[in-house]
Amino acid sequence: MSLTIKQGETFALVGESGCGKSTAGRAILRLVEPTGGSVLFRSKKLARPGEAYVQVMVTSAPKKLLKKLRGDMQIIYQDPYSSLDPRMTVLEIVAEPLVIHGETRGQALETRVQGLLEAVGLKSEYMNRYPHEFSGGQRQRIGIARALALNPQLIIADEPISALDVSVQAQVINLLEDLQEMFGLTYLFISHDLSVVRHIGTRVGVMYLGRIVEMAPTEELFSDPKHPYTEALMSAVPVPDPDYSDTRIQLYGEVGNPADPPSGCTFHPRCLYAKSICKSGTPASAEIRPGHFVSCHLAESLRLRPANVRNEE
């Protein structure tokens, strides 16, 4: 896979479970060691006086440099229950990155944590409580405050709302948008919920079996998908209308083995439009319109259904 995340945008990475979304996010941060390829990051904190930024090769950075880089790159985990240490207070959890990096101490540290909690919508008097005393949504806010502690440029949000109630999901999404505007953040937003992605994403990458099969600006992707897998995903988005009925596109067969993927286009065994060329030739990623990339032999000839369009027939 190959992608560029622009400063200040929300790049959404979508796909079904097991396609490699979370692994990609962790590889960018080197929480897992990539077996190949490279990750380049433009760091403002490591720039010398007079420089706007310095470009760092994350995949080959030594430990000392990587530790300094951690302040620019943070992650919000999927599960707010297992991502917080139950033996630590909220003060200790949010302050931990600041302590590790020697940013501040004493009363200034406590004041900084108070400000972070207030920024994510939590009261400062919660600092001496433990994670088990909070709801799922409040725990996720604590995780967000911890991610913000070092003033990062990039935040990997790894399905940050999938473990929350629907009513709380909207609150957390709005919070992430507010924080992005407030702190000038860049997000890699990993999700399988296309309705959320449509709301928050600037650009979307659709992932299948470890590869990005389509990438485009959000509204263009939803209004004019060019890959059959994207069309199938969008057909599964529910429409909040009791009088609306439409035929969901069913994908038959099993997802291929990532260690031994199908020949040609990896999606061809499940594709409704597959032809002989799809079984033999691996499609290259082609830019069919400015900023719209797709890996499909038939992209130019197919007329696919956009998201949530009623069938008028």
Side-chain angles (χ1 to χ4, degrees), residues 18-20 35 208-211 255-263 266:
C19 71
T35 55
Y208 183 77
L209 212 62
R211 297 183 180 184
V255 179
N257 180 1
D260 185 22
S263 61
T266 54

Side-chain angles (χ1 to χ4, degrees), residues 68-269:
K68 292 180 180 179
L69 197 60
R70 294 292 188 208
D72 270 337
M73 309 164 71
Q74 290 291 306
I75 185 169
I76 301 169
Y77 292 98
Q78 177 178 357
D79 186 1
Y81 293 88
S82 62
S83 61
L84 303 179
D85 191 329
R87 298 165 297 180
M88 297 173 68
T89 64
V90 172
L91 173 60
E92 293 170 328
I93 289 169
V94 179
E96 188 174 27
L98 297 165
V99 173
I100 290 173
H101 287 263
E103 292 282 330
T104 185
R105 61 181 63 184
Q107 184 59 44
L109 179 65
E110 190 169 319
T111 302
R112 172 70 175 149
V113 172
Q114 287 178 350
L116 288 166
L117 291 178
E118 290 170 0
V120 299
L122 294 175
K123 297 178 181 179
S124 58
E125 53 259 38
Y126 291 169
M127 288 197 302
N128 295 315
R129 296 185 183 180
Y130 290 88
H132 73 269
E133 299 179 74
F134 296 93
S135 67
Q138 289 175 319
R139 291 188 195 204
Q140 195 61 291
R141 289 173 187 263
I142 296 168
I144 294 170
R146 178 178 58 187
L148 290 173
L150 294 172
N151 294 317
Q153 293 173 234
L154 172 68
I155 289 183
I156 309 287
D158 186 7
E159 302 205 35
I161 62 169
S162 62
L164 307 177
D165 292 340
V166 174
S167 59
V168 180
Q169 288 182 2
Q171 297 174 18
V172 173
I173 286 296
N174 291 334
L175 172 64
L176 290 173
E177 291 183 316
D178 292 341
L179 293 172
Q180 184 175 35
E181 185 176 348
M182 190 184 308
F183 296 106
L185 299 170
T186 302
Y187 291 144
L188 172 59
F189 190 87
I190 298 169
S191 180
H192 59 261
D193 190 334
L194 286 172
S195 58
V196 171
V197 164
R198 190 171 193 174
H199 175 73
I200 197 174
T202 309
R203 289 187 301 140
V204 182
V206 180
M207 204 168 181
Y208 183 77
L209 212 62
R211 297 183 180 184
I212 293 181
V213 296
E214 187 167 8
M215 181 166 55
T218 304
E219 281 308 314
E220 182 172 332
L221 186 85
F222 277 81
S223 62
D224 190 15
K226 289 297 182 182
H227 196 283
Y229 180 62
T230 307
E231 180 191 41
L233 285 180
M234 290 181 178
S235 75
V237 177
V239 177
D241 182 354
D243 298 323
Y244 171 67
S245 62
D246 199 359
T247 305
R248 177 178 171 180
I249 297 173
Q250 296 287 341
L251 295 180
Y252 298 98
E254 298 294 329
V255 179
N257 180 1
D260 185 22
S263 61
C265 174
T266 54
F267 183 62
H268 86 262

Side-chain angles (χ1 to χ4, degrees), residues 5 253 272:
I5 304 174
L272 302 176

